[in-house]
């Protein structure tokens, strides 16, 4: 699991806000991912991903206070997540992680996690 000091080391809330906001700017323009999101407003989905990542990396536990146990694989079952969706998600996240103000060790650690997490969310062979 994540080192509990990562959140503080990289600069806390503003850094996580920035990464997740940039990710959702990409999602909004993505022809594979955008149709998966049931809501017209991506803001609430952005908040949930941000809160989850903040918690995972040792920040505030607001995600679980509001949403309970993450159970992310289960929560993604309503959406078809095949290799194409996984790659689209990672393509959007790569932009966000590359543009974030992180030192190279933290960037590599975060990117490694994103690839692992995206692979673990796949629930379809096609
Ligand atoms: C929710 C798509 C990977 C974290 C969602 C939703 C969609 C989605 C459509 C519902 C939007 C909403 O919350 O209203 C995808 C796709 C992925 C992917 C296509 C491709 C692999 C990931 C990964 C993570 C993640 C890797 C974590 C690192 C979340 C979280 C929520 C969510 C925290 C909100 C769960 C909740 O509390 O209801 N995702 N996702 N997703 N996703 Fe993903």
């Amino acid at each position: 699991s994540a080192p509990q000091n990562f959140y503080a080391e990289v600069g806390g809330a503003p850094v996580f806000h920035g990464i997740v906001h940039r990710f959702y700017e990409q999602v909004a323009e993505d022809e594979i991912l955008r149709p998966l999101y049931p809501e017209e407003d991506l803001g609430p989905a952005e908040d949930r991903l941000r809160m989850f990542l903040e918690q995972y990396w040792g920040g505030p536990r607001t995600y679980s206070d509001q949403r309970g146990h993450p159970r992310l694989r289960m929560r993604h079952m309503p959406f078809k997540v095949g290799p194409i969706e996984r790659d689209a998600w990672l393509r959007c996240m790569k932009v966000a992680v590359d543009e974030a103000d992180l030192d190279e060790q933290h960037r590599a650690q975060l990117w490694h996690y994103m690839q692992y997490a995206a692979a673990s969310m796949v629930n379809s062979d096609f």
Side-chain angles (χ1 to χ4, degrees), residues 23-41:
F23 171 74
Y24 270 100
E25 284 182 351
Q26 304 297 305
V27 170
E29 304 289 317
D30 191 280
E31 58 184 26
I32 292 158
L33 294 180
R34 186 63 189 86
L36 290 180
Y37 287 81
E39 316 254 318
E40 194 186 325
D41 180 5

Side-chain angles (χ1 to χ4, degrees), residues 34-99:
R34 186 63 189 86
L36 290 180
Y37 287 81
E39 316 254 318
E40 194 186 325
D41 180 5
L42 290 174
E46 178 174 328
D47 290 342
R48 290 190 276 270
L49 178 59
R50 177 183 48 74
M51 291 188 299
F52 170 79
L53 290 172
E54 289 181 323
Q55 174 169 316
Y56 178 84
W57 292 99
R61 302 198 51 84
T62 321
Y63 179 86
S64 281
D65 292 345
Q66 293 190 11
R67 306 291 290 165
H69 189 289
R71 300 183 206 288
L72 285 190
R73 233 186 106 72
M74 188 197 78
R75 291 191 204 263
H76 286 76
M77 285 304 174
F79 315 106
K80 178 187 160 253
V81 184
I84 292 170
E85 290 78 13
R86 176 203 60 203
D87 289 352
W89 194 97
L90 282 171
R91 200 162 55 236
C92 293
M93 189 55 85
K94 181 93 168 46
V95 172
V97 171
D98 280 353
E99 290 181 4

